[in-house]
Amino acid sequence: MNKNPATLAGTRDAYFSPLQTHQRELRFDTSADDASRSIELSFSSDSEVRRYDFWTGEWYSEVLDHSEGAVDLSRLSEIGVALFNHNTDRVIGRLEDVRIDREAKKGRCRVLFDADAASDEIFQKVRSGTLRGVSACFRVYQWEEIPAGGISREGIKGPAQIARKWEPIEVSIVSCPADKTVGIGRSIKINERNGLSVEKFRELVMGAFGDLATKKIQRDAFEEEIRGILAGVEAEEAPEAIRFVREMREASGLGAQPEPQPASGGSESNLEAERARSAEIMAICVRHQIPQEEAVRYVSEGLSVETVCRNILTAQAKSGGGVSTGRNISVGAEEREKFRRAARDGLRMRLGKRSDSFAQGAEDFRGIRLSNLARECVERNGESVSYRDDEEDIARRAFSTSDFPIIMTDLARVTLLDAYNEAPTTWNRWCGVGSASDFKEQHKIRFGEMPLLEPILEGGEYKMADLMETKDSFSIGTFGKKFALTRKAIINDELGAFARIPQLFGSASARTIEQAVYKLLFSNPIVGEDTKALFHADHKNLAGTASALSVKSLSDARVAIRRQTGLRKDANNKVQLNLTPKYLLISPELETPARQILYSDTDVSASNPGIINPLKNAFEPIVVPHITDWSWYLAASASEIDTVEVAFLNGQQSPTIEQMPGWDIDGIEYKVRVDFGVWCYEYRGMYKNAGAQPA
């Protein structure tokens, strides 16, 4: 039995306390190295993981902060070992090179497997690809809660919990990673090993009631099944589980225990008929997602099954205007939206997408053809459809419904945003982000530093400070393209081709912004403050001599940025900004020498290997493929001083997609656009060296 260090939290406060351990699951980044009997792996990432808060009943995103100072690696670095399935008695190797990859925002290490038989067995399974899961336990010492509607400094939208101070405590190779949708301490655990969620528990109980209603099982077998489910529930979860089963019994007209069989045959027949009526009504209400209190009312009022069905259909017709077509998703106004989400996510499943938050019922649509989905949307719209009807006519009619265009537009939107967010862009790591309310020319006033305070003699007069300021202007523009979904694509079931188009548009949107940023940077634009070029000798941010990347040239660049002064030019009030350059922008050809310089323990340019490297971890390298020569740049953080800024219309950073009926084509036309502008109004936080080829 596994000796898992994760403990079960009884309260929300306990769950978010440093005493609680948490887990995350990943997969191997690389294949095993036979020579060294090792494998490189990631034990953490900054990706958002969907969690369910059973104390508040809300979903939220859990994020691990990987910025400087957020992660304590001392435990893993000093005494870290690799376990199998979190079993402290199954040590299979040691951890080496434990580090935080700032560029990828991941925690990485190397596992060196031991040579004993038990460890070698695990290594061989890793080597063959049988074992591919990684699970890490960690403790969080400081959480930042982002409420719904809020947004963090990194742009993470609430509701979210961000681990600002945390410590990984153990890394395991696992045979079966835990369900990511269920956090540690947040599941009703059936027989402990299964780790079934609350939703699965309720599904089992309601399934048993449904089987009893449809006479798939007898009462004795039903009671035995319920007892078996409840027997495995952990002690602290038992009251809630028992309450749920009791309410189901009451709603179904069943007693707490099986009643004794009556002596009279007539009474027995009446009792069984009443049980059957109650159970069938409950099953119908569950299938049509009728609230439980409404189902109890149907049973207690003695309504017949036929009357209940008629009431349900009448209510659905009034609320949504339509009839159920057979799937377990009804067509009321609210249920129509559930159908759309389920159909959209089913198509995403068919495309091979994975997610922890697919809509309920999505599994029913994962194999559906586009033509059949069009047919179902037409039927749900209240129109009669025969299988003898022409597919082109059905596709045309589907475009005129509300469901089909919305489903396909949602699919295109989600695919577009996924591709946009996953595109390998670099601008957002060092540029600032702004917002503009319209497309008019925007004017931005930047105030300089205040003059030094002057001594005031007794009875003396305070003098008014003079303000230094500059004004910069910019504007944003619209960038976009169109594509279409035609009747032909539906009939030919070209789902992959349709999804590929918004995916390409998402990547293209990200590249459009990326290219605009570097086009501006390489053009050496004029700065509004003094109408001189961004990189200029007078600005003291342009190397006088092109130099190869080295400890000395980087040190000179850092000194130049630290020596920058503010807007005031008078000697008495000149302000030394003492800026700290953070990012090194380089071409792919300079990535290797840059990493040697920035990550070596000793000075790579010194003949004496005992000299420490003064630039170790001084800058974060950003590889920019748009740089095609040997030039390189230093940039301060946008939070410290303005450099290059990308502004979006009303702060909308992601591309938007709109649809309309096709005018020139039989189908739907989609328009993708992103509204943004790029400009530079400050030179002090940037430095350029034209560079030279390394020796």
Side-chain angles (χ1 to χ4, degrees):
M1 183 175 179
N2 294 346
K3 298 183 178 180
N4 195 325
T7 56
L8 195 64
T11 66
R12 191 174 190 273
D13 289 341
Y15 179 80
F16 287 108
S17 75
L19 299 178
Q20 175 68 30
T21 54
H22 308 259
Q23 288 182 356
R24 279 221 174 177
E25 290 73 44
L26 297 95
R27 297 169 66 87
F28 293 133
D29 293 338
T30 60
S31 57
D33 182 5
D34 289 345
S36 61
R37 290 177 54 81
S38 66
I39 188 168
E40 179 86 10
L41 57 82
S42 299
F43 59 83
S44 68
S45 75
D46 72 337
S47 60
E48 298 184 26
V49 175
R50 294 284 287 169
R51 302 291 196 195
Y52 186 73
D53 189 338
F54 277 89
W55 292 278
T56 64
E58 300 291 339
W59 287 93
Y60 67 95
S61 297
E62 180 188 87
V63 181
L64 298 179
D65 186 354
H66 284 67
S67 63
E68 188 73 31
V71 193
D72 182 1
L73 296 178
S74 55
R75 179 189 180 101
L76 286 189
S77 299
E78 295 171 6
I79 59 173
V81 293
L83 306 179
F84 179 61
N85 277 344
H86 301 289
N87 191 339
T88 54
D89 292 336
R90 290 292 306 274
V91 177
I92 59 175
R94 67 180 187 274
L95 305 183
E96 290 191 351
D97 193 22
V98 181
R99 66 196 185 279
I100 296 296
D101 185 337
R102 303 295 177 198
E103 184 173 352
K105 296 183 179 180
K106 288 185 176 182
R108 300 188 188 277
C109 68
R110 178 166 289 276
V111 175
L112 274 70
F113 289 84
D114 292 336
D116 60 278
S119 301
D120 184 66
E121 179 183 359
I122 303 302
F123 173 70
Q124 295 303 328
K125 291 182 181 295
V126 170
R127 179 173 173 272
S128 66
T130 302
L131 292 178
R132 293 177 291 178
V134 180
S135 182
C137 286
F138 58 93
R139 285 196 178 97
V140 180
Y141 301 102
Q142 179 183 334
W143 291 96
E144 179 185 358
E145 184 171 2
I146 308 299
I151 188 168
S152 73
R153 61 175 183 260
E154 304 96 334
I156 300 169
K157 296 181 179 179
Q161 292 281 356
I162 304 176
R164 292 300 186 191
K165 299 289 183 182
W166 60 281
E167 175 188 24
I169 58 176
E170 176 255 303
V171 176
S172 285
I173 309 296
V174 292
S175 54
C176 185
D179 182 358
K180 295 182 181 180
T181 64
V182 182
I184 301 303
R186 284 176 251 179
S187 62
I188 291 180
K189 296 185 177 181
I190 309 300
N191 296 330
E192 189 173 355
R193 293 184 302 274
N194 298 331
L196 298 179
S197 64
V198 169
E199 289 80 4
K200 186 63 176 178
F201 167 77
R202 295 191 177 191
E203 180 183 330
L204 290 174
V205 173
M206 295 176 76
F209 276 88
D211 290 343
L212 179 64
T214 56
K215 301 187 182 302
K216 290 183 179 179
I217 58 176
Q218 298 301 315
R219 180 66 183 275
D220 291 344
F222 164 78
E223 295 294 344
E224 182 66 27
E225 185 172 345
I226 292 296
R227 283 194 295 270
I229 296 173
L230 290 174
V233 176
E234 292 190 355
E236 63 182 11
E237 302 286 0
E240 175 65 20
I242 293 173
R243 184 193 64 77
F244 177 75
V245 173
R246 183 174 63 250
E247 291 178 353
M248 287 292 295
R249 287 181 182 278
E250 293 173 354
S252 302
L254 300 178
Q257 298 294 335
E259 295 86 346
Q261 298 294 328
S264 169
S267 298
E268 179 180 358
S269 176
N270 293 338
L271 182 59
E272 288 300 327
E274 174 61 20
R275 287 174 178 170
R277 182 190 71 86
S278 301
E280 187 170 356
I281 289 175
M282 288 302 300
I284 291 171
C285 290
V286 168
R287 184 162 59 251
H288 289 275
Q289 301 178 349
I290 302 301
Q292 187 172 338
E293 57 272 15
E294 187 75 4
V296 173
R297 185 178 66 81
Y298 287 148
V299 173
S300 61
E301 291 181 357
L303 300 180
S304 67
V305 174
E306 292 77 10
T307 301
V308 171
C309 291
R310 186 162 53 250
N311 289 348
I312 292 175
L313 292 176
T314 301
Q316 289 180 348
K318 289 180 179 179
S319 62
V323 182
S324 174
T325 58
R327 294 192 182 273
N328 191 20
I329 302 175
S330 55
V331 295
E334 184 177 344
E335 303 306 322
R336 185 179 293 276
E337 180 59 29
K338 293 181 180 179
F339 160 68
R340 292 168 180 169
R341 291 197 299 265
R344 176 202 65 195
D345 288 348
L347 295 177
R348 294 180 68 199
M349 286 182 175
R350 180 181 161 189
L351 290 168
K353 300 295 182 183
R354 295 183 178 182
S355 174
D356 298 331
S357 56
F358 280 140
Q360 183 179 2
E363 189 71 31
D364 293 338
F365 294 92
R366 70 178 305 163
I368 195 169
R369 290 175 55 86
L370 290 182
S371 57
N372 290 337
L373 177 61
R375 179 186 297 273
E376 179 153 344
C377 289
V378 172
E379 290 176 339
R380 284 176 174 267
N381 202 43
E383 301 179 33
S384 176
V385 179
S386 168
Y387 281 95
R388 294 189 298 272
D389 289 347
D390 182 75
E391 284 191 336
E392 284 200 22
D393 180 63
I394 294 175
R396 178 186 55 79
R397 292 162 64 188
F399 285 128
S400 65
T401 68
S402 61
D403 289 335
F404 190 75
I406 290 177
I407 291 169
M408 300 310 295
T409 300
D410 276 355
L411 176 64
R413 178 183 55 80
V414 173
T415 305
L416 175 83
L417 294 182
D418 284 346
Y420 175 79
N421 293 325
E422 294 170 2
T425 56
T426 61
W427 70 266
N428 47 5
R429 293 168 57 189
W430 65 275
C431 294
V433 177
S435 178
S437 59
D438 52 44
F439 295 98
K440 299 176 184 177
E441 187 175 45
Q442 311 286 319
H443 302 284
K444 187 167 184 176
I445 303 296
R446 187 171 73 259
F447 291 100
E449 305 76 18
M450 290 296 174
L452 298 177
L453 301 183
E454 298 180 2
I456 305 297
L457 300 178
E458 184 177 356
E461 181 183 355
Y462 287 82
K463 296 181 180 180
M464 183 65 68
D466 59 317
L467 296 177
M468 299 292 295
E469 64 180 48
T470 63
K471 183 172 76 171
D472 299 278
S473 301
F474 64 91
S475 60
I476 65 173
T478 298
F479 302 80
K481 282 284 188 180
K482 292 197 307 182
F483 65 98
L485 173 65
T486 64
R487 286 188 297 162
K488 179 181 177 182
I490 296 174
I491 296 170
N492 293 339
D493 198 36
E494 296 174 352
L495 177 63
F498 171 74
R500 182 61 175 160
I501 294 174
Q503 184 180 43
L504 293 174
F505 271 115
S507 299
S509 299
R511 292 198 311 272
T512 299
I513 301 173
E514 178 94 342
Q515 183 169 311
V517 167
Y518 291 107
K519 182 178 180 180
L520 176 75
L521 181 67
F522 300 155
S523 69
N524 202 14
I526 299 299
V527 178
E529 176 184 335
D530 56 8
T531 66
K532 294 180 181 179
L534 169 64
F535 300 107
H536 193 281
D538 292 347
H539 289 163
K540 299 180 181 179
N541 67 348
L542 178 64
T545 303
S547 306
L549 198 67
S550 66
V551 172
K552 183 180 185 309
S553 61
L554 282 170
S555 179
D556 291 342
R558 180 167 64 176
V559 169
I561 290 182
R562 285 198 178 274
R563 287 293 186 187
Q564 288 288 359
T565 58
L567 287 174
R568 294 186 174 276
K569 305 302 181 183
D570 54 305
N572 293 333
N573 286 297
K574 184 180 295 185
V575 177
Q576 300 293 335
L577 297 179
N578 194 25
L579 300 174
T580 303
K582 184 176 181 180
Y583 303 103
L584 173 62
L585 279 59
I586 52 175
S587 65
E589 288 76 12
L590 287 178
E591 181 176 8
T592 298
R595 291 186 175 276
Q596 288 176 332
I597 294 172
L598 297 178
Y599 298 139
S600 297
D601 291 326
T602 58
D603 186 353
V604 296
S605 65
S607 57
N608 182 359
I611 298 177
I612 65 169
N613 180 9
L615 294 180
K616 183 179 179 181
N617 297 323
F619 315 116
E620 180 180 330
I622 298 179
V623 180
V624 181
H626 297 82
I627 302 177
T628 57
D629 54 17
W630 298 107
S631 61
W632 50 271
Y633 303 78
L634 280 185
S637 172
S639 62
E640 186 174 13
I641 190 171
D642 295 325
T643 53
V644 173
E645 182 171 295
V646 181
F648 297 88
L649 181 65
N650 295 322
Q652 176 64 42
Q653 298 186 29
S654 55
T656 58
I657 185 169
E658 298 177 351
Q659 62 92 12
M660 63 175 293
W663 181 259
D664 298 321
I665 54 103
D666 289 329
I668 309 175
E669 290 186 350
Y670 295 94
K671 179 173 63 179
V672 178
R673 73 165 186 270
V674 58
D675 304 307
F676 74 97
V678 184
W679 67 93
C680 179
Y681 46 80
E682 177 60 87
Y683 63 84
R684 293 169 177 83
M686 301 199 69
Y687 183 93
K688 177 182 179 180
N689 191 311
Q693 185 173 357

